[in-house]
Amino acid sequence: MIARRRFGQCGWSTPCTFSHTDFIFCATFLQNHLKDLDTKKRKEIPWETLRNVIVQIMYGAERSDPGDLRLMRTLSEKYIAQVVLETNHQFAVGYSMPACSDLNAFRSSIEAFPVIERPEVTGLSSTSEFIFGLQHAEDVFSKLANTLVGAGSSPDMVSEVQLLSRVEELLQKFPMPFGASEVREALEKDGGANLPTNVAFKHELDVLGKVLTTARHSLQRMHVMLTGNLTPSEELNEAVQDIQLHRVPALWEKLSWQSPNLGHWMQQMAHRMEQWKRWLERGRPFSFWLAGFTNPVGFLSALKQEFSFKQKGWGLENCVFFTEVTKLEASDLKGPAENGAYVHGLYLDGAAWNRKEGKLVDTPPKIANMMLPVMYICVLQKSAKKHDFQVFSCPVYTRKSRGIQNFVFSADLKTEELVTRWILRGVALMCSQD
C-alpha cells in the first residue's frame, strides 16, 4: 500500500498517511492472532477476519474516499489470502513467494527484491510510472518558476507598457453576463424556472455572471492602477503579478474553476459561455459538456429528480443512474436522450476504451489518458438496473486530483477482464485533464 504512494493520484485518490507505525501495529496483530490460532490448535486461518480488521480498522479507519476503500479491500484479497502460502506463488513477474521455511533464508529472498518496486507489483501499469514522472516534472518546474518570481528574475516578466496592453486585450475578451430577462424568457419556454434541471442551469448562469463581473472589475482597476490613477493595493499587485506570469488571479479562481494557466482558464470560460448561450437560444443541447458545470453533482441530481417525478410511484431514493458508452461524438447526435441525458468530454485515466468492441482495454504505452465517446446516462429504479455483461463501476471526478471532494458519480463500463484489474490500475474518469 505504501509503494503506491509514489504514483500520486493513480496510486491513491486521496493522499495517504500510511506510516511505519501502522505497519508495526498490523504485523503485531497478525503475529498475536496466528500465535493464538496455534495455541488453540486451529489449522484454518480466518482470512476474512484478518482482512476486515486490517482494512476497516487499522488502515481504513481514516479513509473517506470510497474508491480508496475499495482499492484497499482488493489489495487485501490479493495479499492476505491462502493462495500466497502456495509454493512458488507469484505476486508479479519476478516477485515469487520464497520457497523456504528457514527465517534467514526467507529474509535473504525478500532482500533480493528490487529496492524500488515496479508499478506492476502494486497492480498498476508501466504507464503509471511515466505519467507520474511527467506530473513530478511539472511540479518541479512550477516551483522553480515561483522561486524565480520571488527573486525578481522571472523570464516571463514584461514591461508596464506590455502589461497594460495585455490587460486591455483581456478586457476585450470578456463578454457581458446574460441579461435577466433573456434568461427568464428562455427558462419559461423550456418548462419553467422551477424545473430541476433549469434550476441547476440558472445556478450555472449566476456563477458565470459573478465570475465575469468580478474579473472585468479587477481588470478595470488594474488598468487604472497601471496608468497611475489608482494607489496600488496588495490584492491588485498580486493579481497583476499573476497576469504577468500567465496565472489565474486567486480571486477569479476562488469564484470559478481551477486551471493550470490563464490561457486555459480563458478558453474554459469561452466554452462555458458557448454552451450556456446555445442552451438559452436553441434550447437544451443534445449532449452536455459535463466539465462546463461548476456543480456537476447538482446537475445530475436535478436530472434524477426531474425524471423520477415523471414516473408515477418512483421514489427518488429508489432511483439510480444507468450508463452506457456510445460509439458517437457529440456532433453525431440527432436529438436529445430519452429518460436521461448524453454527456461528453470525459477522459479515461488508467485504461483505454475500445470503441469498436465497446469495452475497457489496457492503455497504450506512454498515453496519459483518452477521451471517451459520448456517454448515455438514464434514470432507472434500482430493481430494473441490470447488465447482460460484466461492468466496472468507474468513479468520475471533476479533475485529475481526484479525492472525495471532487467525486461526481460512478459510471458502469463494460469489461471482459476481471474487475479487480481496473481497481488496482486506479482507473477513473475525469471531467477535465487539469
Side-chain angles (χ1 to χ4, degrees), residues 8 20 27 30 104 135 137 151 169 217-218 254 257 264 267 277 280 301 316 325 337 357 359 362 389 397 408 426:
H20 185 65
L30 283 174
N104 291 328
Q135 293 174 349
E169 182 183 349
H217 179 64
S218 65
K254 182 180 179 181
W257 50 89
H264 188 273
Q267 189 180 54
K277 184 177 181 180
L280 286 172
S301 298
L316 188 60
V325 181
E357 299 182 18
K359 65 178 183 179
D362 288 331
F389 44 81
Y397 298 96
V408 182

Side-chain angles (χ1 to χ4, degrees), residues 19-89:
S19 64
H20 185 65
T21 303
D22 295 325
F23 173 76
I24 295 298
F25 281 156
C26 285
T28 303
F29 164 73
L30 283 174
Q31 185 179 43
N32 293 337
H33 194 76
L34 293 176
K35 282 183 178 180
D36 185 57
L37 291 177
D38 186 55
T39 302
K40 296 178 179 179
K41 307 298 182 181
R42 291 179 58 182
K43 295 183 179 180
E44 292 186 1
I45 299 175
W47 297 105
E48 186 65 21
T49 300
L50 296 179
R51 287 193 289 264
N52 284 335
V53 172
I54 291 174
V55 172
Q56 301 295 338
I57 299 175
M58 295 191 168
Y59 274 107
E62 297 181 2
R63 311 296 293 179
S64 58
D65 190 291
D68 282 348
L69 290 172
R70 181 176 66 168
L71 171 58
M72 204 177 291
R73 180 72 187 179
T74 304
L75 283 170
S76 71
E77 290 171 352
K78 180 179 180 180
Y79 291 103
I80 308 176
Q82 183 65 37
V83 68
V84 302
L85 301 181
E86 295 178 1
T87 305
N88 296 323
H89 170 72

Side-chain angles (χ1 to χ4, degrees), residues 393-413:
S393 182
C394 182
V396 181
Y397 298 96
T398 54
R399 49 202 306 268
K400 67 181 181 182
S401 59
R402 305 192 185 189
I404 189 66
Q405 72 278 7
N406 294 323
F407 178 76
V408 182
F409 76 112
S410 292
D412 293 330
L413 303 181

